[in-house]
Amino acid sequence: MDNNANVFSNEKITVTYEPRCCANAGICAKQLSDVFRNSVIPWIDLNGAKTKTIINQINKCPSGALQYYLNKKEVA
């Protein structure tokens, strides 16, 4: 059963990581190491940069292993 171990969320964004698709180019960790960290668990820290910066970095992922969607707050 999948326990969504590769899903990371904060109030604004949810990031998913599919390790089987990853090309291990390391672009994410090299260019935005405050969010995509090599030696720390959890390895994605969405508080490390602004949401727009994270989205721009995910869009550079050559394999598509990193994906995102914006979280919508429900209006009461």
Side-chain angles (χ1 to χ4, degrees):
M1 177 181 267
D2 186 3
N3 64 1
N4 294 327
N6 292 311
V7 177
F8 306 86
S9 292
N10 66 17
E11 63 212 24
K12 296 180 181 179
I13 189 172
T14 295
V15 175
T16 61
Y17 171 64
E18 181 53 60
R20 287 178 267 163
C21 294
C22 184
N24 292 308
I27 293 170
C28 57
K30 289 175 189 170
Q31 295 181 353
L32 194 57
S33 62
D34 288 340
V35 174
F36 303 100
R37 307 168 303 171
N38 284 327
S39 59
V40 180
I41 295 176
W43 79 277
I44 295 178
D45 177 10
L46 297 177
N47 296 318
K50 293 183 178 184
T51 300
K52 184 175 181 179
T53 303
I54 295 169
I55 290 170
N56 288 338
Q57 189 61 50
I58 290 171
N59 288 335
K60 296 177 186 178
C61 180
S63 65
L66 290 169
Q67 298 289 319
Y68 74 92
Y69 61 89
L70 298 175
N71 300 331
K72 294 182 181 180
K73 289 190 175 188
E74 294 184 28
V75 178

